[in-house]
Structures are given as structure tokens and as C-alpha cells.
Amino acid sequence: KCRTGPLDIVFVIDSSRSVRPFEFETMRQFMMDIIGSLDVGPNATRVGVIQYSSQVQNIFSLKTFFTREDMEKAINSIVPLAQGTMTGLAIQYAMNVAFTTQEGARPLHKKIPRIAIIVTDGRPQDRVTEVATQARNAGIEIYAVGIQRADMNSLRAMASPPLEEHVFLVESFELIQQFGKQFQDKLCGVDMCVVQEHGCQHSCVSTPGSFHCECNPGYRLNMDGKTCSPIDMCADGRHGCQHQCVSARGSYSCRCRPGYYLNQDKRSCTMIDYCSFGNHSCQHECVSIPNGHYCRCRSGFTLQPDSRSCRATDLCNGVDHGCEFKCVSADGSYHCVCPEGQQLQADGKACSKCGAGHIDLVMVIDGSKSVRPQNFELVKQFVNRIVDLLEVSPHGTRVGLVQYSSRVRTEFPLNKYHSADEIKKAVMEVEYMEKGTMTGLALKHMVEHSFSELEGARPLSHNVPRIGLVFTDGRSQDDISEWARRAKESGIIMFAVGVGKAVEEELRAIASEPVDQHFSYSADFTTMTHLVENFKLNICPEEGKGEMEIRSPCECEALVQFQTNTVAILQSLTEKNILWARSLAQMTARLEDLEKQIATKK
């Protein structure tokens, strides 16, 4: 056997149409004779086989088989391609694919020889000189074996130097098997691990003219290149243990945290289901946790001090009820109510909006650097919640949006969008400016441009209220007093909303009279949702009906309707009082009867 150390050998076999079937059988035997002399194995010599004609076919790669029996079985099953002779293409495949680490070749730094044995019987139909040079420069040692009609110049162009040791021309296929036994000597040299004291702690690997030491699985080679140390198999993080890795010499095992058990894959863990034991005594639900369990009540119930039983709870405080105005809790349930004068909508949560009245609303939002991007997104959500209060339409409420920092930008004018959905989508697409805080400049822009008929404001003669909402989070870098005054003098109803470091003095200067109803403040962006309701309660009474007639509640029809409703309510109360009186009389009679029975027994 060839014991010189490991090799990576790839046979490149010509199976063109010129190779007759019995000749191809001789080539099979040639490969098996050479493999029979090698010490094959994952840490010894590895063997791969490819055949080519007009195309290249991988029979098996360097990582596929590690026993001679498996290799011989695969070689015996080869079906020749019987086409052209593209030898250059085969060398290219060997270099780019067969001798890669992905296909089983050992890394170049290990200095394990890479040997290609090319067996062909004819002249290549493509160029081989250039690609063979590239392969040799890539560290592949090429043996060129020509049979019968092979072209000697092509063989010499392919082979590694010295050519007299790497180029062979066999006269006939009958002689190739005999040649194979002689060729074995070319692959076998002096076993350096035998002829000298190697000093390797575990194993010595011979290479041409030298050797190196290798360690057993689970160990790594020390800096001295000879001794070995155990590898911490858990340290590289590739163990796959879900919870904990426990290292042993050359091995490891997985372990689960308390309250979990190891699954059959010996890597993943599953929490122990303590509720499945059936002894939890929870009234509603049992929830397993590591090392135990706890009881949980269904929605609308509260866990009692015994940590097992449940009692109906105030759902308004325990669930996201979604009521727009107020939530009223009942036993295990709840319902929503609206402020006086508003009706509950079909969804059972929302209240009627400001109605069908007409207003022109321009919101002026602060896009300065102090707001910060994440809070600016909350401001946009705040704007959209206000839009949800309104009945937006071309002839109803119109909405415009202005953003300001060191400059002012109209995001969209009053006549741009005609539905709430369009406006809300446009709001979410607004880009944050992130510069200074020129609130006075923004007020000037609003007065001169935003409420102009050119940008969609309706003429003052139409009696449509003009409402300006200014949102800011800090002190203005310019004077606001003049343009705040002009805004109110021009008939704009001004609302001021401040957050965080907003200055109350400036907010009051912006707001219309009465000031307390026209300015709001929140200490934090995340808690400013209550400002929406404040704005709604203040804006709805001030909405206009445009040129539509507003009927007085004191007219005859209104008085008649009020009287009818009042009479109905009083009648209902009277009927209830009669029922209460009857019930009280019945209870009194029962008490007198009980007293008589007690007196008789005495």
C-alpha cells in the first residue's frame, strides 16, 4: 500500500465517442488498480472521479466515498458520454469545482498534494494550454496519460513539470492496466513519518519530503505543532444547544434550565406543563411557567387573594374598551356612552362627530429639531385623530396642513383633499424638517396664504368659521405677538396646543378668547391624546352651517317637540313609581305575616 501520507486525487477520464466500450472497461480497471494501492480515508487519501466528452460529468467528489469498495462500485456504474473531446473544459471543471473545499479538497495551508490524472485517447477539441497553466498555478499537479491516438503536444501542454515524470503515452488500451501498476510508484514515495522521529502526540501525516502532526477528533494542535489539547466543544457556539452546553473531553452534551426537559433531538428544550398534572385547582385558567404554574381569570374577571378563584371585574379599567367618550362597566361586561347631545355610532364605541357643519381648519405643526423623529410620528397621529372628528367633504369641512421649523412649508392646502382618508394618508407621508422654531413666521404664512381663497378658504361672506390650530413643543425663536394678533383680527379662531417645553405665555398669546378654552398643554408626547377630546368639545359648538339656515330652538315646532319628549319622560317615571309602590306594599304585607307567625309560636 502507498503509505506516504494523504493525497487529494481526481481522475479526469475521457469518455468520448472514439473510446470503444471494451477500451473504456480497461480504463475502469486502470482507476481501480490505482485506488487499490492507496490508503483511502477521510484523514488519508481522498479520491474523486469525473468523466468528460463534449460536457463534464461528476461521478463522485472527494468528499463522497472513503472506502475502496464504495469507489469501485461507483466506477463500475459509469455510463460513457460518447460525444466530443473537450479536455480543456474538463480541466476547468477540475480546477473550479472538483478541487474546492466545498467538494472535499483539504485547504491549501495543510499542504496536502492535489493531483489530477487525465486519461485521454485523442486530440482535444478545445484549447488546453492556458487553462492547464491556471490549474497548475492553483496548486494542482497534473499527470497526462495518453493512449493510442493521443496527441503528444497536447499531453505536454497539460502536464506539470518535469514533463518526463508527468507525461505518459501508452501504445494501446491493452497495456494501460500494466502501466497502472507502474504508475503507482509515481504516487508513492518515502514515508517521512517512518524514517524519522516525528514526535507527534497523536498522529503523523506524511507529505512529499516532509510531514506534519494531526490531533484526534476533539483535540487541537498546540503551538509546538506536535502536542494536542482538548477542545472546548461548547466554546465555538456551534453546539446547537437551546439552553446550556456542557463540555467534556472531545465532546459535549446539552442541558436544559430548571423547569424544562430535553427533547429527543438532545438539543432543544420544552417547558414542563405543570397544569397538565391536574392538581392546580384554578377556577378559570391554569398557566404553566418554569418550576410551577399560576392561575389566570378570563376577560372581565379579577383573580382573588386565594390566587385561584375569580370575580367579575370593572372591564372599563381592565380592557381596551375603545369607547370614544366614556365606558360604563356592568357585571362582567361594559358599554360605551357619549356626551349629552351626541349619539353612539353603530360600532357601539364612537360618538357622533361634530356634525355636518362647515369649517375651514388649518393645522400648523412644529417640525423643529427638538421634537425628534419618533415624537413627530406621534404628532402626525394626533393630527389624524382630529381629522377623525370631522365630516370632511368639498362642501363640508376642509383641512389644510402647514409644517414649520426655520422655514415654513405648506404640506397641503384646504382645497387639496376631499375626504378624511385622503388627508390621513397625506399626513402620514409628511417628512420631518428638523431645524429651528420660527413660530411667528408660521403664523404669518397661515394668515397670508393658508386662509386665502386661492388655497381653498371659502369667502368670509359664506360665514364658514376659519379655525387655526398651532402645535408647538418649545419657545419660538422669533416674535409671535404681531401675527397672532393679526390672525385673530382677521377672523381666525386660534387654538394653541403645547407639549413638553412649550411656553404657556406664547400659547396664551396665540389662543383666541376665552383663552382657557382655546389652549391646551401636555407634559409628554405620549400622553397628549386627551388634548383631542378637549379640542373636540371646544371646536364643535363653534362650527358653522355656512349659508344654510340655522333654526332657533325657541320656534314653535321645537317647543312642541320638547314638550312631547318631556311628557313622555314624566309618564315613564310615573309608571315606575307605581310599580315601586306596589312592590313596597307587597313586602310590607309579607313582613306583617311573618310577625304574626312568630307571635303564634311564642
Side-chain angles (χ1 to χ4, degrees):
K1 301 293 182 185
C2 185
R3 301 285 183 180
T4 60
L7 304 171
D8 286 343
I9 299 176
V10 174
F11 288 94
V12 183
I13 303 301
D14 181 354
S15 66
S16 60
R17 67 172 62 92
S18 62
V19 180
R20 288 172 289 184
F22 76 91
E23 294 173 339
F24 193 81
E25 295 304 318
T26 308
M27 294 172 70
R28 288 189 211 267
Q29 192 60 48
F30 167 73
M31 288 187 285
M32 290 191 289
D33 287 345
I34 294 178
I35 292 172
S37 68
L38 301 173
D39 182 20
V40 297
N43 296 320
T45 293
R46 299 182 182 182
V47 178
V49 176
I50 62 177
Q51 68 165 335
Y52 73 94
S53 60
S54 298
Q55 58 182 316
V56 181
Q57 181 185 39
N58 180 47
I59 304 304
F60 58 86
S61 63
L62 292 167
K63 66 179 181 180
T64 306
F65 301 123
F66 297 114
T67 65
R68 282 184 294 276
E69 290 78 9
D70 290 337
M71 294 177 186
E72 290 176 0
K73 184 177 179 181
I75 291 171
N76 280 323
S77 65
I78 298 174
V79 177
L81 298 173
Q83 296 173 353
T85 312
M86 303 294 283
T87 311
L89 181 66
I91 297 173
Q92 186 83 44
Y93 181 91
M95 176 176 62
N96 293 342
V97 180
F99 279 110
T100 61
T101 54
Q102 291 84 356
E103 290 296 302
R106 266 73 63 96
L108 289 172
H109 71 266
K110 289 197 172 184
K111 298 181 180 180
I112 294 175
R114 295 182 173 182
I115 298 173
I117 303 174
I118 303 173
V119 183
T120 179
D121 81 323
R123 182 188 300 272
Q125 294 176 340
D126 57 355
R127 301 179 64 179
V128 298
T129 303
E130 191 174 309
V131 69
T133 301
Q134 293 175 358
R136 295 194 299 269
N137 291 338
I140 300 173
E141 184 179 359
I142 300 178
Y143 287 89
V145 181
I147 304 172
Q148 259 180 356
R149 299 169 293 276
D151 178 57
M152 178 57 76
N153 289 331
S154 298
L155 297 177
R156 295 171 65 86
M158 292 186 284
S160 297
L163 296 179
E164 60 271 16
E165 295 184 8
H166 292 83
V167 176
F168 305 94
L169 183 60
V170 183
E171 295 179 357
S172 66
F173 278 94
E174 289 79 1
L175 297 175
I176 191 170
Q177 187 172 352
Q178 181 180 350
F179 164 76
K181 299 185 182 303
Q182 299 172 358
F183 185 74
Q184 294 169 8
D185 296 336
K186 299 292 181 182
L187 302 178
C188 297
V190 178
D191 190 342
M192 300 300 291
C193 291
V194 175
V195 301
Q196 67 183 66
E197 181 62 35
H198 53 76
C200 297
Q201 182 179 355
H202 285 181
S203 60
C204 174
V205 179
S206 181
T207 58
S210 184
F211 70 91
H212 66 269
C213 298
E214 287 189 354
C215 297
N216 296 335
Y219 292 81
R220 67 165 60 89
L221 196 65
N222 294 327
M223 294 295 293
D224 60 10
K226 297 181 180 295
T227 59
C228 302
S229 297
I231 297 174
D232 183 356
M233 302 294 284
C234 295
D236 62 4
R238 295 183 295 178
H239 47 76
C241 297
Q242 183 178 353
H243 285 182
Q244 301 169 355
C245 177
V246 180
S247 183
R249 175 166 293 189
S251 183
Y252 70 92
S253 61
C254 297
R255 186 166 60 193
C256 297
R257 293 193 295 268
Y260 293 79
Y261 63 86
L262 194 65
N263 294 324
Q264 290 185 352
D265 61 7
K266 302 300 181 184
R267 282 175 170 77
S268 60
C269 300
T270 299
M271 187 174 69
I272 299 172
D273 184 3
Y274 289 96
C275 294
S276 65
F277 299 163
N279 58 352
H280 51 77
S281 68
C282 297
Q283 182 180 352
H284 283 183
E285 300 173 2
C286 175
V287 180
S288 284
I289 57 174
N291 294 329
H293 72 280
Y294 68 90
C295 296
R296 182 172 62 191
C297 296
R298 293 190 294 271
S299 177
F301 293 83
T302 303
L303 194 65
Q304 296 304 292
D306 63 4
S307 298
R308 287 175 170 78
S309 58
C310 301
R311 186 179 65 187
T313 188
D314 182 359
L315 284 180
C316 290
N317 292 327
V319 299
D320 183 13
H321 50 77
C323 296
E324 182 178 339
F325 178 70
K326 185 178 180 181
C327 174
V328 178
S329 184
D331 188 19
S333 183
Y334 69 91
H335 64 275
C336 301
V337 297
C338 293
E340 184 177 356
Q342 296 188 32
Q343 292 184 343
L344 196 65
Q345 298 297 291
D347 62 3
K349 299 180 183 295
C351 298
S352 58
K353 299 185 178 181
C354 284
H358 304 169
I359 61 173
D360 287 343
L361 170 64
V362 174
M363 289 181 273
V364 183
I365 59 174
D366 186 349
S368 62
K369 180 170 56 179
S370 61
V371 174
R372 295 186 294 182
Q374 64 270 32
N375 291 332
F376 190 72
E377 294 302 312
L378 296 177
V379 173
K380 292 196 290 186
Q381 294 176 21
F382 171 78
V383 169
N384 279 346
R385 291 196 63 177
I386 291 176
V387 174
D388 284 333
L389 301 175
L390 310 170
E391 295 286 353
V392 178
S393 69
H395 302 292
T397 292
R398 299 181 182 179
V399 179
L401 182 66
V402 173
Q403 183 186 177
Y404 72 95
S405 58
S406 298
R407 58 189 177 89
V408 184
R409 181 173 73 206
T410 297
E411 301 296 351
F412 52 84
L414 287 165
N415 57 3
K416 176 71 172 178
Y417 300 113
H418 306 306
S419 71
D421 288 341
E422 289 179 314
I423 293 173
K424 290 167 69 176
K425 180 180 178 182
V427 168
M428 296 313 295
E429 293 174 352
V430 169
E431 295 184 358
Y432 177 37
M433 286 182 169
E434 196 176 4
K435 288 187 180 179
T437 311
M438 303 293 283
T439 313
L441 184 64
L443 292 170
K444 180 176 184 293
H445 180 92
M446 180 191 71
V447 172
E448 294 182 342
H449 300 284
S450 301
F451 281 107
S452 67
E453 293 183 31
L454 183 64
E455 293 200 2
R458 282 157 288 195
L460 292 172
S461 61
H462 286 193
N463 296 323
V464 176
R466 295 181 173 182
I467 297 178
L469 172 63
V470 180
F471 180 95
T472 181
D473 85 320
R475 183 182 296 274
S476 176
Q477 295 174 341
D478 61 352
D479 181 60
I480 66 166
S481 57
E482 179 183 356
W483 287 101
R485 176 179 55 79
R486 288 196 188 186
K488 289 176 280 191
E489 288 177 353
S490 67
I492 302 172
I493 303 168
M494 296 298 296
F495 287 83
V497 176
V499 177
K501 296 182 180 179
V503 179
E504 182 177 349
E505 180 183 352
E506 293 185 354
L507 297 175
R508 287 181 173 273
I510 295 171
S512 294
E513 295 289 343
V515 173
D516 289 341
Q517 292 183 14
H518 291 82
F519 98 93
S520 304
Y521 174 80
S522 177
D524 187 79
F525 284 89
T526 59
T527 60
M528 65 183 183
T529 54
H530 69 279
L531 303 181
V532 177
E533 187 63 30
N534 292 345
F535 182 74
K536 175 180 178 180
L537 294 175
N538 286 311
I539 195 176
C540 286
E542 293 172 336
E543 68 178 2
K545 299 292 182 179
E547 296 176 333
M548 297 173 61
E549 179 185 5
I550 302 175
R551 301 187 62 185
S552 170
C554 297
E555 290 184 358
C556 181
E557 290 183 8
L559 287 172
V560 171
Q561 183 64 44
F562 174 77
Q563 183 179 14
T564 302
N565 292 343
T566 303
V567 170
I569 293 171
L570 290 174
Q571 183 176 352
S572 175
L573 290 173
T574 301
E575 292 175 353
K576 289 182 179 179
N577 287 334
I578 293 172
L579 291 174
W580 290 339
R582 290 177 180 174
S583 298
L584 182 61
Q586 291 175 355
M587 292 179 64
T588 302
R590 290 185 63 187
L591 286 172
E592 291 176 353
D593 186 52
L594 287 171
E595 289 176 355
K596 290 178 181 179
Q597 293 179 14
I598 293 171
T600 303
K601 290 181 179 180
K602 288 182 178 180

